[in-house]
Amino acid sequence: MSKEENTANRPDNTAFTQQRLPAWQPMLSAGIVIPGFVIIGVAFIGIGVALFVTSQNIQVLEKDYTGIERNSSCFKCTNPRVKNCNCTINFSLDKLFEGPVFVYYGLSNYFQNYRKYGVSKDAVQLTGDLAYFTEPSTTCAPYQRDAKDKPIVPCGSIANSMFNDTFKLFQIVNSGNVEVPFDGKGIAWWTDYNIKYRNPTTNPLKNAFNDTVKPIFWPRPAYELDPTNSANNGFINQDFLVWMRRSALPNFRKLYRRITEGEYAKGLPAGDYALVIGYNYPVLAFEGRKKVVFSNVSWMGGKNQFLGIAYLVIGSLCVVMSIVMLIVYAKFKFPDEE
Amino acid sequence: MDNISGEFALVISGHSLAHALEADMEAELLMTACACKAVICCRVTPMQKALVVELIKKHKKAVTLAIGDGANDVSMIKSAHIGVGISGQEGIQAVLASDYSFAQFRFLQRLLLVHGRWSYLRMCRFLCYFFYKNFAFTMVHFWFGFFCGFSAQTVYDQYFITLYNILYTSLPVLAMGIFDQDVPDRRSLEYPKLYEPGQLNLLFNKREFFICISQGIYTSLVLFFVPYAVLSNASQDTAEPLADYQTFAVTTATALVIVVSVQIALDTGYWTIINHVFVWGSLGLFFSIMLAMHSQTLFSSSPNQFHFVGSAQSTLLQPVVWLTIALATVICIVPVLAFRFLKLDLKPQLSDTVRYTQLVRQKKRKAVCFSGGAGVRGAAGSTSEGRLGARGGSRRSGYAFAHQEGFGELITSGKNMRLSSLALASFASRHSSSWIDTLRKKKHSHTPTPPGAASGDSSPAPSCVSGSAAPPLSNSPSVLGGSQDAAIEEEEARTPPPSPLQAKPGSSTSHARPPSTTLLAASESTQGPSTGGGPGDTAPSAQGESGGWTLSLGAVQEALSNWRSLGVRSSSPGPPSL
């Protein structure tokens, strides 16, 4: 009887409660660490070499066209009172710029990652919900309603500040200027185009925008963003989508067009070119800069020197560390007991 | 820890301790006690036990532990830093008041050397990792602030921020905090020196904290600037730039979770199945929750909340992103690995050495057993030492119970008994003659009682006792004198219920009256302070009866009188009726 009472009060004698669970106890032994470092080092050096070589083969051409210097061709456009200004940048290519060539516009000192700027949009309105056309969300303030208290569609600061410079590229040949065709389809994310931004289902699209006004800085309302292509209007306009995908850093570039058609599908041949820019977007007020970038891509994307060099550096450091550790281990050998 | 040279022990009784704990004496007591290897306080009241503990707590930078089993140990247990109660013979009072309790005194060794040590180790590792992972997580926003106009834009998705500490990184560190062991319990008992880092506060102090924080800051630097440098100019293979906010967020978040998971994998030294499940499960949970939140289904339910739709799928399919994550992980982890390996080689701690030998032994045992064909569980854990449960029958420890005399004297005085004088004599001789003295003194305060003389007009009892007890007293000094040495046998942990001494003759080990001399001293000292002016009176009375050992008693008397002059208790509430 007393024995049963005794056993009733005993603690559990299981492996879990008595901390006897079977376990693996790793130890940082030299046999694991030093070869591990060597393997990592060698692998990184290999990857680094591949990345560096790939990156070296990518061609990039950048042209700043802000027009700060007096002698630049776009200086005349920096005057804010000049409307519909066009300026031309001339450049020449020594050798074939291999295709497909991608055209980007780049901005500097432009903080799309500013927090208040980033929340200034109405995600529900942009999915085509007509209820939010008449009542845009208050997060869009001060671009929620205009001075006459009419709702702005699309509301918010991001939409309002949409980039509106235009570019045309001409190759200068003997017979004159040949326009290089640009392709603007599918430059935005698939999920943006198909899921995140939807047009209201009203047909014609223009009727959905009754009793609303366009954003203050826009030249044309949303349903007229692309006069040449009726499918590229409203919220699913590719340029609009590219702009709405805001950037993480103050110096960024966004995809504008790609050159994939006709005889330029294989790339831009060597020669002279003229880039005609419709200069609409003012950046000098905040000391920003604008540039246009031509680039081609590889499996790892665009030109990225940092990745290749970083891998090479880290790989060699690992190998050096493993040699050091080997020397230390050989000198102060961990004593083998028994 | 002080270096104690010499082999001294201090034995002090409750009455003396009452003096020693006074404000002007306690520093002396502390110094003396700390210079000894052991201190035995006997016949102390519960309050005095607590006062001794508090004395040590107040003046020494040490952690105190008190262990006891009776209701009179409760105040001591409560006042120590760690209170341990022994459940068993004395009831469960001490258990209810204690922080830890077990059934046998010898379990204290396991409590300290195994569980206490593991607990300290786990707590330190847990804290270090917790600070590290939160600094790595938060400081990224600090660096990002320089690039976003200090607008408090978060680098990560808001749901990631919410779930990071709850789901993605809490379980692995919890498992480490519960299960981690650096050496198995058998080795902990074998090498008590492993206990030292806990006493010296080696595993988590300002220096270690600073190292954790700097590692967190370094990790945050890497986690921000590597994606920054790579993604600012990178693009997908479809030429869309990768520098958009949501791609950057997903890349940084993935790199962060992977880096801190690798770090916890390095920190965990004891991988049970639960650790495996938690670590790899948390990583899997991160990816599945992120993919679920960036899916179209949730977006369609609430576009404003789940506006990261499509980011995870788009980002994690890019080789550049994985190369970035791998680069960030290696830059964060490789220095830690190298540093730990070098530290293990150049400055191994005792626990590392023990662990290493343990693993070597295990491997050898495994090799032998595999070759032998028998399957021995080479588990790192050992079977628990010490059988739980009673060993059949209770075994009382050899401790004496000491307490101040109660009214037992009155009973044993034989006042109410009609025994022959011989019987009474033998009866009385078994007990302290000092009781008789005490009674006599109490009854007759200022009158020196002649041996055998009936001072007992006021009370017949002592006179009877004194009268009859006088002859045997002179016969029994050997018994009484020899028992002087036995006072040392008393343990401080044991106090009896306040019953008269003669009720427990069996509990004392060998001598008939171990506490006799101390009782004598106690009785004397009780007399001393409480009676304002009767020391001299008591002395001759003691001298009259005690015969052979009058001298020692007199010396004690004088010492006590000296103390009494210093004592605060000169003002007595009135002499007890003597």
Side-chain angles (χ1 to χ4, degrees):
Chain A
M1 183 64 177
S2 67
K3 239 203 168 134
E4 278 166 25
E5 280 167 16
N6 282 342
T7 52
N9 286 334
R10 281 195 203 184
D12 294 337
N13 196 10
T14 61
F16 178 74
T17 54
Q18 294 299 323
Q19 301 190 50
R20 287 196 307 259
L21 286 169
W24 168 53
Q25 280 189 300
M27 185 103 178
L28 278 181
S29 64
I32 294 177
V33 172
I34 296 180
F37 267 56
V38 171
I39 290 174
I40 292 178
V42 168
F44 268 47
I45 290 178
I47 297 176
V49 165
L51 286 171
F52 190 70
V53 166
T54 313
S55 177
Q56 288 290 86
N57 289 337
I58 295 176
Q59 294 162 295
V60 171
L61 177 67
E62 283 187 19
K63 290 282 174 206
D64 184 311
Y65 69 92
T66 322
I68 299 209
E69 305 85 21
R70 283 184 166 269
N71 57 0
S72 87
S73 56
C74 293
F75 178 69
K76 61 181 191 306
C77 299
T78 57
N79 192 341
R81 271 174 294 206
V82 177
K83 302 274 180 238
N84 293 327
C85 177
N86 285 335
C87 62
T88 308
I89 304 272
N90 291 314
F91 62 92
S92 60
L93 293 174
D94 298 330
K95 57 182 174 65
L96 173 72
F97 199 107
E98 286 185 25
V101 181
F102 296 88
V103 185
Y104 302 85
Y105 61 88
L107 287 165
S108 300
N109 207 31
Y110 195 105
F111 286 80
Q112 264 203 323
N113 54 12
Y114 201 83
R115 192 176 67 84
K116 282 205 166 156
Y117 178 92
V119 300
S120 178
K121 68 185 230 191
D122 188 349
V124 193
Q125 185 191 79
L126 293 166
T127 56
D129 193 337
L130 285 169
Y132 286 78
F133 273 40
T134 49
E135 289 292 327
S137 158
T138 47
T139 53
C140 289
Y143 300 101
Q144 179 194 9
R145 289 174 179 277
D146 72 343
K148 301 195 193 76
D149 204 38
K150 292 192 103 179
I152 299 177
V153 177
C155 75
S157 181
I158 310 182
N160 188 42
S161 57
M162 182 169 152
F163 189 76
N164 50 10
D165 281 2
T166 55
F167 305 93
K168 279 191 166 66
L169 184 64
F170 295 93
Q171 186 185 12
I172 302 171
V173 293
N174 294 337
S175 49
N177 291 352
V178 179
E179 182 169 355
V180 179
F182 281 167
D183 174 26
K185 284 193 288 294
I187 54 175
W189 284 25
W190 184 90
T191 44
D192 282 356
Y193 185 72
N194 289 302
I195 315 265
K196 203 166 171 186
Y197 298 86
R198 308 298 306 141
N199 274 336
T201 45
T202 326
N203 204 356
L205 185 59
K206 185 176 170 170
N207 293 346
F209 288 79
N210 287 339
D211 293 328
T212 67
V213 291
K214 64 174 177 57
I216 300 170
F217 290 171
W218 281 22
R220 296 185 298 277
Y223 51 86
E224 282 175 5
L225 274 175
D226 192 352
T228 60
N229 185 356
S230 64
N232 197 22
N233 279 321
F235 299 144
I236 55 174
N237 176 280
Q238 294 283 340
D239 289 320
F240 177 69
L241 293 177
V242 166
W243 182 255
M244 290 301 281
R245 179 144 290 284
R246 63 188 183 113
S247 157
L249 299 164
N251 306 325
F252 59 88
R253 40 177 210 186
K254 290 187 183 287
L255 186 58
Y256 181 70
R257 296 283 186 270
R258 58 168 82 88
I259 303 172
T260 50
E261 287 165 15
E263 52 199 63
Y264 299 101
K266 290 220 174 57
L268 295 174
D272 296 321
Y273 291 84
L275 181 70
V276 176
I277 301 167
Y279 194 115
N280 300 317
Y281 203 70
V283 296
L284 284 176
F286 50 87
E287 291 173 20
R289 298 286 179 267
K290 297 192 285 186
K291 64 183 183 214
V292 66
V293 180
F294 294 90
S295 170
N296 47 24
V297 296
S298 67
W299 63 270
M300 57 168 268
K303 195 177 187 79
N304 205 333
Q305 304 274 44
F306 175 79
L307 208 51
I309 295 174
Y311 265 80
L312 281 171
V313 167
I314 299 296
S316 22
L317 273 179
C318 279
V319 171
V320 167
M321 271 313 303
S322 71
I323 295 174
V324 167
M325 290 197 294
L326 192 61
I327 294 174
V328 167
Y329 174 69
K331 282 193 83 172
F332 302 90
K333 209 174 179 122
F334 204 50
D336 262 324
E337 287 195 20
E338 300 165 341
Chain B
M1 288 178 297
D2 309 326
N3 264 338
I4 301 179
S5 58
E7 308 265 332
F8 290 107
L10 175 68
V11 180
I12 185 166
S13 74
H15 290 93
S16 316
L17 196 61
H19 290 287
L21 281 175
E22 287 163 18
D24 48 349
M25 293 292 298
E26 65 177 18
E28 275 286 332
L29 173 69
L30 185 67
M31 234 169 33
T32 316
C34 289
C36 299
K37 286 240 162 171
V39 174
I40 299 174
C41 307
C42 48
R43 308 277 203 96
V44 290
T45 63
M47 181 64 176
Q48 281 175 327
K49 295 185 192 183
L51 284 175
V52 168
V53 173
E54 272 163 28
L55 179 70
I56 306 288
K57 261 173 74 168
K58 199 164 51 162
H59 295 284
K60 289 270 169 192
K61 273 196 296 197
V63 177
T64 53
L65 182 147
I67 178 167
D69 68 340
N72 50 4
D73 295 321
V74 167
S75 46
M76 165 176 79
I77 286 173
K78 277 190 167 6
S79 66
H81 287 116
I82 307 166
V84 180
I86 298 186
S87 63
Q89 301 300 327
E90 298 287 329
I92 57 163
Q93 293 280 18
V95 167
L96 291 173
S98 62
D99 303 313
Y100 300 96
S101 72
F102 35 70
Q104 298 182 28
F105 192 87
R106 64 191 173 94
F107 293 158
L108 183 65
Q109 182 194 24
R110 209 177 151 81
L111 177 75
L112 289 181
L113 294 182
V114 176
H115 295 292
R117 208 177 55 78
W118 280 349
S119 176
Y120 177 67
L121 174 85
R122 288 164 185 163
M123 193 62 61
C124 293
R125 285 198 183 164
F126 172 89
L127 280 174
C128 217
Y129 177 76
F130 216 88
F131 280 112
Y132 158 79
K133 79 167 160 96
N134 276 300
F135 264 77
F137 168 69
T138 313
M139 291 298 285
V140 178
H141 292 112
F142 181 70
W143 311 123
F144 187 55
F146 291 99
F147 297 92
C148 70
F150 295 103
S151 62
Q153 171 68 51
T154 56
V155 173
Y156 318 107
D157 179 15
Q158 62 176 48
Y159 284 105
F160 178 79
I161 294 177
T162 310
L163 293 173
Y164 174 74
N165 267 321
I166 296 176
L167 272 189
Y168 301 150
T169 53
S170 64
L171 292 174
V173 67
L174 195 69
M176 181 182 80
I178 294 176
F179 296 110
D180 206 32
Q181 300 175 13
D182 57 346
V183 295
D185 53 349
R186 274 217 192 107
R187 305 284 151 259
S188 309
L189 293 170
E190 234 177 81
Y191 301 96
K193 201 162 157 61
L194 286 167
Y195 195 68
E196 225 176 43
Q199 291 177 304
L200 298 175
N201 213 18
L202 286 182
L203 291 182
F204 195 76
N205 43 29
K206 288 198 199 86
R207 183 173 166 269
E208 293 297 318
F209 177 71
F210 180 71
I211 291 177
C212 284
I213 302 288
S214 359
Q215 192 188 356
I217 295 179
Y218 167 73
T219 304
S220 71
L221 269 172
V222 170
L223 283 175
F224 175 70
F225 281 103
V226 168
Y228 166 76
V230 175
L231 294 180
S232 53
N233 282 327
S235 54
Q236 303 180 5
D237 44 10
T238 55
E240 280 154 34
L242 279 175
D244 67 287
Y245 170 71
Q246 292 183 345
T247 307
F248 192 82
V250 168
T251 308
T252 314
T254 310
L256 170 73
V257 171
I258 289 181
V259 167
V260 298
S261 296
V262 173
Q263 181 66 39
I264 189 71
L266 275 182
D267 272 349
T268 307
Y270 192 78
W271 283 83
T272 62
I273 187 67
I274 300 179
N275 290 79
H276 279 289
V277 166
F278 280 179
V279 171
W280 311 124
S282 295
L283 260 183
L285 201 62
F286 163 69
F287 283 110
S288 44
I289 291 184
M290 181 168 69
L291 287 170
M293 287 219 185
H294 295 186
S295 68
Q296 302 165 13
T297 336
L298 278 175
F299 173 76
S300 46
S301 67
S302 173
N304 260 326
Q305 288 293 317
F306 299 101
H307 52 96
F308 263 70
V309 61
S311 307
Q313 295 88 332
S314 154
T315 307
L316 294 179
L317 286 174
Q318 298 300 316
V320 174
V321 166
W322 286 107
L323 286 172
T324 314
I325 293 172
L327 182 67
T329 309
V330 166
I331 296 181
C332 287
I333 298 294
V334 154
V336 173
L337 259 181
F339 181 73
R340 284 191 189 181
F341 176 76
L342 286 174
K343 193 158 157 239
L344 209 57
D345 250 7
L346 296 174
K347 281 204 322 180
Q349 304 276 323
L350 179 63
S351 58
D352 300 322
T353 321
V354 172
R355 207 177 135 109
Y356 180 77
T357 53
Q358 168 75 18
L359 289 175
V360 164
R361 260 184 236 168
Q362 256 185 314
K363 282 202 190 108
K364 286 195 185 150
R365 211 188 318 142
K366 258 191 197 158
V368 165
C369 289
F370 280 141
S371 61
V376 169
R377 210 109 176 66
S382 57
T383 56
S384 60
E385 240 196 37
R387 294 193 315 266
L388 305 164
R391 281 195 220 181
S394 65
R395 196 180 86 156
R396 302 286 293 273
S397 324
Y399 301 121
F401 305 100
H403 198 267
Q404 263 190 303
E405 68 238 17
F407 42 82
E409 304 165 16
L410 203 52
I411 298 176
T412 55
S413 65
K415 171 180 115 165
N416 296 322
M417 297 190 231
R418 288 183 202 284
L419 298 169
S420 66
S421 57
L422 191 59
L424 193 59
S426 58
F427 181 69
S429 71
R430 272 192 288 127
H431 311 292
S432 172
S433 60
S434 63
W435 293 14
I436 300 145
D437 301 332
T438 315
L439 278 173
R440 220 178 291 132
K441 281 156 223 148
K442 276 185 180 163
K443 296 292 179 193
H444 313 282
S445 57
H446 298 281
T447 56
T449 51
S455 50
D457 291 305
S458 47
S459 136
S463 56
C464 288
V465 170
S466 61
S468 52
L473 280 177
S474 48
N475 290 338
S476 57
S478 56
V479 176
L480 299 168
S483 61
Q484 267 176 335
D485 306 328
I488 301 172
E489 280 182 287
E490 289 176 273
E491 292 285 341
E492 75 170 311
R494 298 284 178 206
T495 61
S499 55
L501 273 171
Q502 76 277 14
K504 303 210 191 274
S507 62
S508 65
T509 45
S510 54
H511 301 265
R513 276 298 98 209
S516 62
T517 45
T518 46
L519 178 57
L520 192 59
S523 64
E524 297 306 326
S525 60
T526 325
Q527 302 305 314
S530 53
T531 60
D537 302 327
T538 54
S541 60
Q543 279 175 355
E545 287 111 28
S546 313
W549 35 290
T550 307
L551 228 51
S552 56
L553 199 52
V556 171
Q557 287 282 28
E558 284 192 28
L560 283 171
S561 64
N562 288 339
W563 273 15
R564 206 178 3 94
S565 61
L566 304 169
V568 195
R569 284 197 236 138
S570 51
S571 63
S572 60
S577 64
L578 294 177

